[in-house]
Structures are given as structure tokens and as C-alpha cells.
Amino acid sequence: MSASAALRSGSLRRRTIVSVLALMALLLVVLAVIVDVALGARLRGQIEDRLRDRTAATASLVGIVPAEDLADRLSAQGLSVRIDEAGGGSVVAGPSPEQLRGGPAGPPGGPRGGDAPATPAPGSVTVTVSELSGDTDLVTLRSTLSDGSTLTLTASAAGVGETLAQVRWIMAGASVAVLLLAAGAVVLVVRRTLRPLDEVSDVARAIGAGERDRRLRPTNPDTEIGRVATALDEMLDDVVGAEVAARAAEERLRAFLSDAAHELRTPVAGIRAAADTLVRADLDGHEREMLAGHVVREASRASRLVDDLLMMARVDRGLQLARARVDLRRIVDTEAERARLVHPGLIIRTEMPDATVPVSVDRDRIAQVLSNLVDNAARATGGRGRVVVGILPFGNEVEVRVSDDGPGIPAEDRERIFDRLVRLDPSRAGSGGAGLGLPISRGIARAHGGDVECLDSTTGAVFMLRLPARAPDPAQRVRAGAERTGVA
């Protein structure tokens, strides 16, 4: 289906009403046909049963009552009678079949014979064979009696058609009345049933007008309208959540740019002031050397900050990792030796298993993470504390913990420190840290399928680098920005 195809939005109320009324009309037509067929068959069956009863009663009187008298008695009941005797004589009485087509004939004048007894006397004549025939206007029963004579009775069926016609008119009138009443009832029911849809549209318009807190909150989410309302509420929650997240991300971006500009402004201002002094002032060798050193230090500080910003951008975009199978113990040993050279007053101890700890990682990136964690510990302890770097294998994962005996990190700040350009101690702003080391470390760890966390500790701070013992799936190898902290 094309993405630009328009939604068919005909009136649901009108379609529902028309569909229900059409279904009811169809059901009434089917009912009328069933009644017409069943009633017609029933009325015709009654005429046939009547002819069989008269035939049986007449057969019981054959030989006892003269044939002429039997014919008169039967014709008096509006039947066309023909008796063919076994000896060859025939007796005809009553209206002819053609006369009966116009309707049942009334009994002739004179006394009407009563019905013969239905139960024949012992040894009397019985009916051996009967044959029904006729059409829509007549019903004829031809019966052969046991004495060899034949009795033919014909009755009019025109009354059946007249009765059915009256019933059809009654059914038609009743159906029209039922449809009119049903139309009114269906309109009211459908209007009441579809009222929640009006509420849905009202809430949607209100939200579009700025009332972001409006929700439908269906009482029964398992119904059709309840599922629609629940889906709409969930969609609105997602939209509002995305809007809030976008605004928060925008605010973080603005704060990040402001903080980055502030961090860069300080060394740039120092470089500019020192350079201006070097150009304009007539300084002796010692002062000139001191200003030149200041320029170098501030330039190095600005360069580190720019490098961190570039690294953070690469983390957000997705790092390209050069994975290799290495022993994690060698990386830890190398970083411990580097830290001893950079921080001579720092006491560094390593705790590692005797067996190799193979991992598939980018050696330089993991070394950068450990370097950031150890440097943070050195700054927290003033360069004279105790730092322990330990490796703890756990099946499919490996943990590297860096702990120190510094002042520690409050519980409420253990996650905030992974935001960008965050420093818990502003007094150390000039000590070289720009507040990007931990975010970069977490981004590198997550690009490897692991993470960096600050653990709960009673003394000092404990940072944990978690890495998978095996490389993640190829689809997840370049995922530094999958769960980013700070600026999106």
C-alpha cells in the first residue's frame, strides 16, 4: 500500500445503520419466504388429509349405502365426486373440477349429509391404492377400493392462495413497521455506541491545541474502542516523551557548547595574554622564558581539551575498533607501569589471576579507559594515595576494578559524573581534567559491548570496567553511541 494513499473515512455511523437495517430486511424476507412455504405446505396438506379421511369413510359404506347417496353426501361438502363401480356404472356429483378452480363451492340446498364413520365395520371395503394429483388450484385423490370400484375426489385449493396472499400482506406491513422501529432504535444505539469515538477525536484535538496531559484512559482496554484508546494513549506518551527528551537534549547540547567554549576560553585567554606580553613588553630572559612556558602549558591544555572533544564526537558517531585477541593482564600491567612513571608518589598495586585473561578488544582504546580511571584516582588522592587495579573473570565477562583511598563519590553523583564536562570539585578545574574522561571511557566500553560504572564503596571510589570475554555480534561492534550519556 502506498504511503500517500488516503484513508477511507466514510461515515461509520451511516454504514453501521445501513448495514444493520439491510441485514434485518434480508432476515425478514427470508422469514417471509419460510412462512409462505411452510404455511402453503401445511394448508395443502390439510386438504389432502381431508380427502384421505373422506375416502376412507366412503369406502366403509360401499355396499351398505347406495353410490348415489354416497356421492351426494360427499358433494354436499364442496367436493367434486366421481364413483366408478366395479360393474361398469359411474356416479358423478358436485361441482366439476373446472368450477372448483374459481374457489370452493358451497353445499347445495337440502339437508347436508353428515360425515360417515371413520372406522369401517369388520369385513367392509377398504382403500387399496391412492394417488394424489393436481395443481395450484385443485387437489385430486384417486383411490382404488378393495371391491374393484374407484373413487375420485377433487377439492379446490384456491383458498390456500388467498390465505397466503393475506399472510404476505400482513408480513409486508409488519416488516415495514419493524424496520421503521428498528431504524429509530439502531440510530440511538449506534449513536450511543460510537460516542467514545467522538471523545477520542475531542481529546486528540485538545492535545493538538496544546493540552499535552489529556489522556483517554479507557475503562476496558480489551474492547475494540479500548484498544484504540490505549494505543492512542501510548502513542501520546511516546510523543510527549520524545518531545521532552528532545528538549532535554537541546538543553544539554546548549550547556555542552557553553561549557566547552568556557573550557577553551580559559587557556586561549591565557595564551593570548602571554603572547601579547611577549610581543609588546621588553622582558629579560627569565620572564620571557616563564611566559613561554605558560604559553606551552595553556596550549597543551587546550590541545587536550580539543582531543577529548574530538574523541567524544567519535564515540557518539560510533568508534571503529581494531579488535585483537590479547591478554588483559598485559594491558593492566602496562598501564600500571605508566601510572608509576607519571605519578611517582602514587602507590599502585595490581591483583590479577595467574592464568591468562583473553579478551577480544581494541588494545589502545581499553588502555585509554584504564589510563583515564587511574588518572582520576591519582587526582582524587592528590597523587599520593593508594590505587588497586584488579581483574575478576566471571564466565563470559571480565571485570577490571580500579579503587582508591580518596574521599569517594557521593551516591547521588555516581551516575552524574558520567555526564560531559562534569567535575565534582571545581577547585581542580585547572589540574588538566575537563570532565570528559569518564564519558569517553564509558563510550569506549559500550562500543566493546561492556560498560563502566561507579560502584558503592565505604572507603574511596571504586570504578568497574566490564568487558565481554568474547566479541559481540558484528551488528553490535560499532555501537559506542547506542546508550550515550550527556549530549545526544
Side-chain angles (χ1 to χ4, degrees):
M1 182 177 179
S2 175
S4 61
L7 177 66
R8 298 178 61 184
S9 55
S11 174
L12 181 60
R13 181 180 289 108
R14 184 182 303 110
R15 282 188 292 176
T16 303
I17 293 173
V18 171
S19 300
V20 171
L21 292 180
L23 179 61
M24 291 189 64
L26 178 61
L27 293 177
L28 289 174
V29 169
V30 172
L31 177 63
V33 172
I34 293 175
V35 169
D36 187 86
V37 173
L39 182 59
R42 179 61 178 164
L43 293 176
R44 195 173 182 87
Q46 289 179 351
I47 295 176
E48 294 171 358
D49 292 341
R50 177 187 172 199
L51 293 179
R52 288 191 181 93
D53 291 343
R54 297 298 178 266
T55 299
T58 302
S60 65
L61 296 177
V62 172
I64 300 175
V65 178
E68 291 80 3
D69 291 343
L70 291 176
D72 289 341
R73 291 185 182 185
L74 292 173
S75 64
Q77 301 176 29
L79 303 177
S80 175
V81 183
R82 180 184 178 88
I83 301 175
D84 296 319
E85 296 179 341
S90 298
V91 177
V92 178
S96 65
E98 294 301 325
Q99 292 174 335
L100 289 176
R101 287 185 183 278
R112 178 176 178 176
D115 293 342
T119 304
S124 62
V125 178
T126 59
V127 179
T128 57
V129 179
S130 296
E131 180 183 356
L132 275 171
S133 62
D135 51 27
T136 56
D137 295 328
L138 295 177
V139 178
T140 300
L141 179 64
R142 181 181 177 84
S143 303
T144 302
L145 306 183
S146 59
D147 64 346
S149 61
T150 302
L151 174 61
T152 303
L153 300 179
T154 301
S156 174
V160 174
E162 295 175 357
T163 302
L164 291 178
Q166 294 176 359
V167 171
R168 292 187 189 111
W169 279 107
I170 294 173
M171 289 291 294
S175 298
V176 171
V178 168
L179 286 177
L180 291 176
L181 293 176
V186 169
V187 169
L188 294 178
V189 172
V190 170
R191 182 177 299 172
R192 184 181 182 87
T193 302
L194 298 182
R195 187 176 299 168
L197 292 181
D198 295 333
E199 296 178 5
V200 171
S201 61
D202 292 340
V203 170
R205 291 191 183 94
I207 292 173
E211 300 181 24
R212 296 292 191 267
D213 295 334
R214 289 284 297 274
R215 293 294 183 274
L216 293 168
R217 297 182 180 86
T219 57
N220 188 356
D222 295 329
T223 63
E224 293 82 359
I225 295 179
R227 288 193 292 270
V228 171
T230 301
L232 183 60
D233 283 349
E234 292 174 353
M235 181 192 69
L236 293 173
D237 290 339
D238 293 340
V239 170
V240 173
E243 183 180 5
V244 172
R247 290 178 179 174
E250 184 179 359
E251 291 297 327
R252 288 197 301 270
L253 177 60
R254 291 177 180 176
F256 175 73
L257 294 176
S258 175
D259 292 341
H262 177 73
E263 292 291 337
L264 282 173
R265 183 176 61 183
T266 301
V268 169
I271 294 173
R272 180 177 179 180
D276 185 68
T277 303
L278 286 172
V279 171
R280 295 179 181 276
D282 185 13
L283 303 175
D284 57 17
H286 176 71
E287 293 178 343
R288 180 176 293 274
E289 182 180 353
M290 183 180 63
L291 286 176
H294 179 72
V295 170
V296 171
R297 287 193 301 273
E298 294 299 323
S300 299
R301 179 182 174 187
S303 176
R304 286 197 304 271
L305 179 57
V306 171
D307 290 341
D308 287 344
L309 291 174
L310 290 175
M311 175 57 68
M312 200 72 252
R314 294 191 187 99
V315 168
D316 288 340
R317 187 172 61 250
L319 287 176
Q320 298 293 333
L321 302 178
R323 289 180 178 272
R325 198 73 172 173
V326 298
D327 185 359
L328 186 60
R329 299 182 307 168
R330 298 182 61 184
I331 301 177
V332 172
D333 277 335
T334 300
E335 287 306 311
E337 291 299 326
R338 182 200 65 82
R340 292 188 182 100
L341 294 176
V342 176
H343 308 285
L346 196 66
I347 301 175
I348 300 179
R349 182 165 57 91
T350 58
E351 297 178 353
M352 294 180 290
D354 297 332
T356 60
V357 184
V359 289
S360 179
V361 297
D362 187 324
R363 181 188 182 103
D364 294 337
R365 299 299 186 192
I366 296 303
Q368 182 180 1
V369 173
L370 294 177
S371 175
N372 287 337
L373 296 180
V374 173
D375 288 344
N376 279 344
R379 283 194 293 270
T381 60
R384 296 179 178 81
R386 302 175 65 88
V387 178
V388 179
V389 183
I391 299 178
L392 302 173
F394 292 102
N396 294 328
E397 289 188 342
V398 178
E399 291 185 3
V400 180
R401 298 192 179 188
V402 179
S403 57
D404 60 60
D405 58 354
I409 298 175
E412 63 272 12
D413 294 327
R414 286 174 188 159
E415 190 62 28
R416 191 172 70 89
I417 56 177
F418 291 98
D419 292 340
R420 306 174 192 199
L421 299 175
V422 171
R423 286 189 297 261
L424 299 184
D425 186 2
S427 63
R428 295 203 301 266
S431 62
L436 290 175
L438 289 178
I440 290 174
S441 299
R442 170 170 279 187
I444 293 174
R446 288 182 174 178
H448 284 81
D451 203 354
V452 173
E453 300 176 8
C454 180
L455 304 181
D456 186 13
S457 176
T458 55
T459 58
V462 178
F463 286 89
M464 183 266 292
L465 166 63
R466 186 176 69 251
L467 294 172
R470 293 180 298 177
D473 296 336
Q476 299 177 345
R477 287 184 178 178
V478 188
R479 285 195 60 231
E483 297 181 29
R484 301 170 185 167
T485 59
V487 182

